Amino acid sequence: MQSLRFNAIDNLISNPVEVKVEGSSKITAIFNENVFTQQVARKYLSDEAFKSLIASIRGGKKIDRSMGNQIANGLRAWAESKGVTHFTHWFQPLTGLSAEKHDSFFTLKSDGTPIEEFEGAALIQQEPDASSFPSGGLRATFEARGYTAWDPSSPAFIMEIGQGKTLCIPTIFVSYTGESLDAKTPLLKAVVALDKAAVDVCQYFDKNITKVTATLGWEQEYFVVDAGLANARPDLILTGRTVFGHAPAKGQQLEDHYFGAIPERVYAFMRDFEHESYKLGIPIRTRHNEVAPAQFECAPIFEEINLAVDHNTLLMDVMERVAKRHSLKVLLHEKPFAGINGSGKHNNWSMATDTGVNLLAPGKTPKTNLMFLAFFVNTIKAVHDYADLLRASIASAGNDHRLGANEAPPAIISIFIGKYLSEVLKQVESRVSGKFDEQDEAMLKLDIHKSIPELMLDNTDRNRTSPFAFTGNKFEFRAVGSSANCANAMTTLNTIMAETLKHFKIEVDGLIEKGEKKEVAIMQVIQKYIVDSKNVLFEGDGYSDEWEKEAARRGLPNVKTTPLSLDAYITEKNKKLFHGNEIYNHAELEARHEIMLEAYIKKVQIEARVMGDLATTFILPSAIKYQNVLLTNIKGLKETGLSPATYANQLQVLEKISEHVNMVSDNVEKMIEERKSANEISDTRAKAIAYCDKVKGKYFDIIRYHVDKLELLVDDSYWLLPKYREILFLR
Ligand code: ADP
Ligand code: MG
C-alpha cells in the first residue's frame, strides 16, 4: 500500500482543486449581509425596542424582559427571512477559538403544536454545558455553573459556512457568581476603565470629549498548505506544527515569495474567505504574501476594539472552514515550520474620541499637539511600567517558538518611536530640564504637525524588529501570536493605559492645585514620565544579540518562556492594577494564571507524545527498513569477494543511520521518563516549568536533530512524512 505521503502528492498533481468563487459582485453589495446591524434592527424592531437596544449598546443600559422578547422576535424574524433555523450563543472561552451550542427555534407547545419561537430569556442568557471549558478552579470554588450573557455591543450575525445557517449571538461567559471565564468579559471591563481615564485627561484639552474608544486593527499572518499533505503529518494535525522536518534545499533565502504573485489555488481560497468575511461585516482590506514560502497575511480596516476582537476570532474560524472546501489547510500556529519565519498578529492600537480625534495622531495646533504628546508619553510610561505584564499577555507554548527566534521580536518589551519623535522627547526632556516654566512657552509650540512628512518618512523605513512600535498614528504591538485571541493582549494594554492616565491626572491636578498653569503642569508631568520611562525606548535592531545585552544592562525584563512569564499575572503590583481597575479580582487572576499554565502543560505534553509516537512508528521503522537494504547490499558485495572499498560508502551510511537511530530511540525513552516525572508534580506552576525545562528543553531539539539527519540519509521512497519541500512548495 502506498503511504499517505505519496497518495497526497499523487492526488495533488492529478486533481488541482478548482473551486469557483463568486468574486465579481461589489463588496458594498454584500458587506454586512449576514449581520443584524443597527439599520436592520431599525427595520425589524418597534421604536421602543430599537431605542432600548441602542441605549444598551451606547451606555450599557439593561434591557428588560419585555424589550428582550421584542428584540428576540425581531432577530428571529430577520434570521428566518434568511433561512435560519437554529441559534447559538457564541462566545470565546479561555482555550480554543470560539464556542457554540446550537438550539433550534423549533419547539412544541404544551398541547403538542409545533411552533418556532425565540424568547428574550433565550437571547439574554444561556447555560451552556460549561463543564468542559477551563475555569482554573473557579467554578469549583464558586458555583458549578457557567452562563453566557448577551453582549449587545457586538451585533448578532448568521454563520452559513458548511451545512445550515445559524444565528450567532455574541456573548460573554461568566460563572454563576460573575467571575469571568472567557476572553471578552475582562476586555469589555478594560475598555470601560480606559474610556473613563482617557476622558478625564482629554478634559484638560477639550471639554466636548465625553467618550474615548480604543481601536484595534489586527494583521493576521498564516500559512496555507495542501490539506492532503497536512493530513499525512499527524504532528501538524495534532499540534499545529511540524515537530520534525529538515529545512528544504530552497527556503526563504531568495525572499521571492514576498510581494510575489499569490498562487492560483490560494488566491481562490482568499477570495472565498474574504467573501464570507464581508457578509459577516469583517472589513478585510489587504492581502499579501509574507516572507516565508506558503505564508500570507490579511488585515482589515480598524474597528472599535470589542468588535475587532470578535471579527478576528470569527475570521480565524471562517478561514479554517473555507479552507476545507479548497482542500487546503490553514495553519495559525506561531511556528509551524522550524527554520522558516513564524506567524504573528500585529495589533495596531489607538484611541478615538467621540469628537473624531485619534489621540495618537499628532495634532495640527499647539493644543492638540500637547494632547497627542500626553497620550503618546503615557503609553510609553504604561509599557515601561508594566512590560512584564505585556510580555505575559502574549505568552503561549506556540509563541515561545517564535519570540526571540532570529526572525521575531525578542521576549524583551521595548518601544520604537522613530527618529523624529525620539528627537521631540529629547528636546522636552533637556530643554525643560529641572522645571518647565512659562518662559518655555515655546515648548508648547512644538510643531509636530509641520514635521509630518518627516514622520511619515521615518515610518516607511520603519523598524520591523520592535515588539511595540509607533507607526505614525497608532502603536503596533507585534509580539502577539498568530493563533492568539487579541483580547488578552488588548485587555492588558487598555488596563495599563487606564492606570497610567489615572496617575497622570492625579499628578497634573496636584501641580495645578499648587498654582501651576494647566499647560505647564501637563508639560512637567510629561517630562517626568519621559525621564522615568526612556529606558524602554529602543531604535536599534531588536533581533540582535547586542540588544539582549544592552537590555540586560538597562534592567529590562527578558523572560523567555511561558511558565515564568506568567508569574507577572500574580505579582502584588499587577494584582493591584487589575483589581483597582475592576478588571479581575484576585480569584480570577489566580484562576487565569492556572488556566494558562494548564494550557501550556497540555500543549507541550501533546507535542511530546506526538514526537514519541512519530519517532517510534514512522521514523524508526523507515530507517530500519533502509538499514536492512544497506545490510543486504553490503553482505552481497562481501560474499562476491569484492574488496571492502566497493562497499565502504554503504558501510558509512549504515553506520550513520545506526547512530541516529540509537540516539532517537534513547532520547525518546528518556523523554518519556521525564514526562512521567513531570506528571507526578502536583503544583501546576512547577509542573509547567518541568515540562518546559526538562521535557521540552532537554529532549525536543536533540530528538529532532537526529530525526532530521535521518531524513537526509534514508531512501526518499521509504520516508512516510511529507517533507518541507513538499508541504511548502507544492500546491
Ligand atoms: P501597514 O500595513 O503599513 O502596517 P496600515 O496603515 O495599512 O499600515 O495599517 C495597518 C493596520 O493598522 C490596519 O489593520 C489598520 O486598520 C490599522 N490602523 C490604522 N489606523 C489605526 C488606528 N487609529 N487604530 C487602530 N488601528 C489602526
Ligand atoms: Mg504592520
Side-chain angles (χ1 to χ4, degrees):
M1 201 188 77
Q2 207 183 10
S3 75
L4 273 179
R5 174 185 168 209
F6 289 106
N7 266 333
I9 294 171
D10 278 356
N11 283 337
L12 186 111
I13 291 162
S14 57
N15 343 295
V17 191
E18 289 284 349
V19 176
K20 227 175 118 51
V21 182
E22 319 148 60
S24 54
S25 56
K26 267 190 168 169
I27 294 167
T28 47
I30 51 165
F31 191 69
N32 268 333
E33 185 179 291
N34 285 344
V35 184
F36 195 68
T37 58
Q38 292 186 15
Q39 286 95 307
V40 176
R42 188 73 208 82
K43 259 195 260 168
Y44 280 86
L45 300 181
S46 68
D47 277 353
E48 202 186 12
F50 180 71
K51 271 191 201 134
S52 157
L53 178 65
I54 298 299
S56 149
I57 294 170
R58 297 235 174 97
K61 258 183 125 174
K62 257 211 157 80
I63 290 173
D64 69 31
R65 204 187 175 84
S66 83
M67 283 307 124
N69 279 332
Q70 282 199 36
I71 296 170
N73 270 328
L75 260 171
R76 178 168 63 85
W78 169 71
E80 283 178 348
S81 77
K82 295 188 160 280
V84 172
T85 50
H86 285 65
F87 71 94
T88 181
H89 273 198
W90 181 81
F91 59 105
Q92 300 172 48
L94 288 172
T95 58
L97 298 175
S98 57
E100 312 161 355
K101 178 193 162 221
H102 295 203
D103 265 317
S104 145
F105 292 137
F106 166 79
T107 188
L108 294 175
K109 279 163 78 167
S110 55
D111 66 356
T113 318
I115 56 158
E116 244 95 42
E117 76 171 11
F118 184 41
E119 292 198 329
L123 163 68
I124 291 168
Q125 188 169 309
Q126 292 265 299
E127 188 183 342
D129 175 16
S131 52
S132 54
F133 297 109
S135 79
L138 270 182
R139 275 195 313 273
T141 334
F142 294 91
E143 160 68 45
R145 286 172 293 180
Y147 288 93
T148 50
W150 179 33
D151 167 18
S153 65
S154 181
F157 57 89
I158 296 167
M159 181 61 109
E160 60 169 5
I161 298 158
Q163 262 107 59
K165 296 183 175 188
T166 306
L167 173 66
C168 296
I169 315 284
T171 56
I172 57 167
F173 181 41
V174 293
S175 76
Y176 183 69
T177 40
E179 276 76 22
S180 56
L181 298 171
D182 67 348
K184 284 295 295 292
T185 312
L187 178 72
L188 293 173
K189 293 177 176 174
V191 163
V192 171
L194 178 67
D195 175 19
K196 166 134 199 356
V199 166
D200 282 351
V201 170
C202 284
Q203 287 282 310
Y204 288 136
F205 307 98
D206 183 353
K207 296 276 180 222
N208 295 319
I209 297 174
T210 60
K211 191 166 175 62
V212 170
T213 349
T215 52
L216 167 65
W218 39 264
E219 299 164 63
Q220 177 74 52
E221 289 182 331
Y222 60 95
F223 281 83
V224 181
V225 300
D226 176 71
L229 287 168
N231 288 335
R233 296 271 331 206
D235 48 355
L236 262 186
I237 299 305
L238 295 174
T239 72
R241 75 180 184 101
T242 53
V243 297
F244 302 135
H246 200 280
K250 172 181 165 166
Q252 61 189 59
Q253 59 281 75
L254 299 177
E255 301 215 337
D256 52 356
H257 182 67
Y258 198 58
F259 291 130
I262 297 167
E264 206 51 45
R265 220 176 129 191
V266 177
Y267 186 54
F269 156 69
M270 282 177 171
R271 288 197 335 268
D272 199 0
F273 87 69
E274 284 170 6
H275 187 84
E276 295 300 340
S277 302
Y278 293 139
K279 289 199 277 187
L280 291 164
I282 308 172
I284 304 265
R285 220 175 59 170
T286 57
R287 51 162 109 105
H288 61 76
N289 285 349
E290 269 301 315
V291 182
Q295 192 188 27
F296 306 90
E297 182 190 290
C298 70
I301 297 165
F302 70 93
E303 298 174 283
E304 180 270 308
I305 205 160
N306 176 31
L307 201 54
V309 166
D310 282 3
H311 281 165
N312 180 246
T313 305
L314 202 49
L315 176 95
M316 293 195 283
D317 190 29
V318 167
M319 282 170 95
E320 289 186 333
R321 294 185 201 215
V322 171
K324 283 203 184 110
R325 59 185 183 217
H326 295 260
S327 296
L328 291 170
K329 182 149 182 69
V330 169
L331 307 176
L332 292 168
H333 193 283
E334 284 74 16
K335 192 79 176 176
F337 305 100
I340 303 281
N341 270 9
S343 300
K345 170 150 49 202
H346 297 177
N347 277 207
N348 295 272
W349 171 86
S350 188
M351 291 152 288
T353 68
D354 55 351
T355 57
V357 174
N358 174 355
L359 291 171
L360 289 175
K364 289 201 168 62
T365 63
K367 204 158 117 191
T368 48
N369 262 336
L370 188 57
M371 182 157 86
F372 159 73
L373 203 58
F375 280 90
F376 180 67
V377 169
N378 268 279
T379 312
I380 295 173
K381 174 90 156 74
V383 173
H384 171 269
D385 290 359
Y386 296 97
D388 61 336
L389 203 55
L390 271 184
R391 162 69 183 98
S393 76
I394 48 142
S396 70
N399 220 11
D400 277 4
H401 290 285
R402 172 175 165 260
L403 296 180
N406 53 8
E407 40 40 54
I412 308 160
I413 301 290
S414 66
I415 306 180
F416 169 85
I417 57 171
K419 205 168 70 206
Y420 181 71
L421 283 165
S422 298
E423 197 44 51
V424 169
L425 295 196
K426 254 188 222 132
Q427 275 182 36
V428 176
E429 192 192 337
S430 63
R431 281 175 53 193
V432 197
S433 64
K435 191 171 169 323
F436 178 83
D437 58 39
E438 282 178 62
Q439 315 309 320
D440 257 328
E441 195 82 9
M443 265 320 293
L444 294 179
K445 302 204 170 64
L446 281 172
D447 280 333
I448 297 178
H449 70 284
K450 285 215 184 112
S451 310
I452 282 187
E454 214 176 318
L455 205 64
M456 291 304 176
L457 198 75
D458 213 7
N459 255 330
T460 47
D461 76 328
R462 63 199 158 153
N463 183 325
R464 296 188 160 273
T465 65
S466 176
F468 203 94
F470 184 71
T471 47
N473 56 5
K474 62 197 185 275
F475 276 100
E476 184 169 340
F477 190 15
R478 298 186 178 132
V480 184
S482 49
S483 71
N485 187 314
C486 308
N488 226 357
M490 290 299 102
T491 299
T492 304
L493 185 55
N494 289 322
T495 307
I496 64 179
M497 189 61 181
E499 178 74 7
T500 308
L501 289 169
K502 276 200 304 203
H503 285 276
F504 180 77
K505 181 166 162 54
I506 293 170
E507 296 199 49
V508 172
D509 284 351
L511 290 174
I512 294 173
E513 264 163 43
K514 279 190 200 143
E516 208 61 271
K517 228 180 104 181
K518 186 175 74 184
E519 281 78 8
V520 174
I522 291 170
M523 267 321 252
Q524 282 186 16
V525 182
I526 287 178
Q527 188 216 4
K528 175 166 171 260
Y529 280 16
I530 294 172
V531 175
D532 288 351
S533 50
K534 64 181 176 190
N535 250 347
V536 79
L537 299 178
F538 179 64
E539 301 288 303
D541 179 1
Y543 298 177
S544 67
D545 293 338
E546 294 77 60
W547 170 231
E548 232 185 299
K549 288 180 202 135
E550 165 69 14
R553 275 194 294 278
R554 295 190 191 183
L556 299 178
N558 180 9
V559 187
K560 295 196 174 145
T561 64
T562 293
L564 293 179
S565 72
L566 292 177
D567 285 348
Y569 274 104
I570 48 164
T571 60
E572 283 314 308
K573 176 183 166 197
N574 293 340
K575 277 185 180 174
K576 229 175 99 191
L577 164 82
F578 282 125
H579 196 51
N581 287 287
E582 296 177 32
I583 314 295
Y584 301 115
N585 61 32
H586 294 343
E588 286 174 303
L589 268 181
E590 300 280 353
R592 269 190 196 230
H593 182 233
E594 184 83 8
I595 290 166
M596 287 186 277
L597 286 171
E598 273 166 8
Y600 179 85
I601 293 169
K602 276 194 201 124
K603 286 252 159 72
V604 180
Q605 199 171 44
I606 294 170
E607 289 189 356
R609 286 204 197 110
V610 167
M611 251 189 165
D613 289 355
L614 283 188
T616 313
T617 62
F618 278 66
I619 309 298
L620 293 180
S622 307
I624 291 165
K625 258 193 211 159
Y626 187 53
Q627 261 182 332
N628 286 335
V629 171
L630 289 169
L631 261 177
T632 314
N633 173 274
I634 294 166
K635 256 204 237 152
L637 289 172
K638 210 169 171 181
E639 272 165 20
T640 54
L642 289 171
S643 85
T646 52
Y647 50 86
N649 177 54
Q650 289 88 317
L651 210 53
Q652 210 183 16
V653 175
L654 183 66
E655 248 169 0
K656 277 194 203 158
I657 291 183
S658 307
E659 188 194 314
H660 294 307
V661 162
N662 288 336
M663 288 303 280
V664 170
S665 82
D666 271 8
N667 282 295
V668 164
E669 199 90 337
K670 287 187 197 150
M671 177 178 73
I672 292 171
E673 284 312 307
E674 204 66 77
R675 212 167 67 214
K676 283 185 188 153
S677 338
N679 287 342
E680 262 151 43
I681 303 173
S682 56
D683 175 65
T684 317
R685 180 176 178 274
K687 187 169 168 178
I689 292 173
Y691 262 100
C692 178
D693 295 348
K694 303 261 174 65
V695 180
K696 172 175 176 249
K698 263 165 82 178
Y699 297 106
F700 279 22
D701 284 351
I702 185 150
I703 295 172
R704 179 177 193 133
Y705 173 83
H706 291 287
V707 167
D708 290 356
K709 285 285 175 206
L710 283 172
E711 186 185 319
L712 294 185
L713 291 167
V714 171
D715 179 343
D716 186 59
S717 67
Y718 288 169
W719 200 254
L720 298 170
L721 297 175
K723 296 186 172 180
Y724 273 23
R725 62 165 188 258
E726 292 151 356
I727 307 174
L728 291 169
F729 293 100
L730 293 183
R731 30 196 155 240

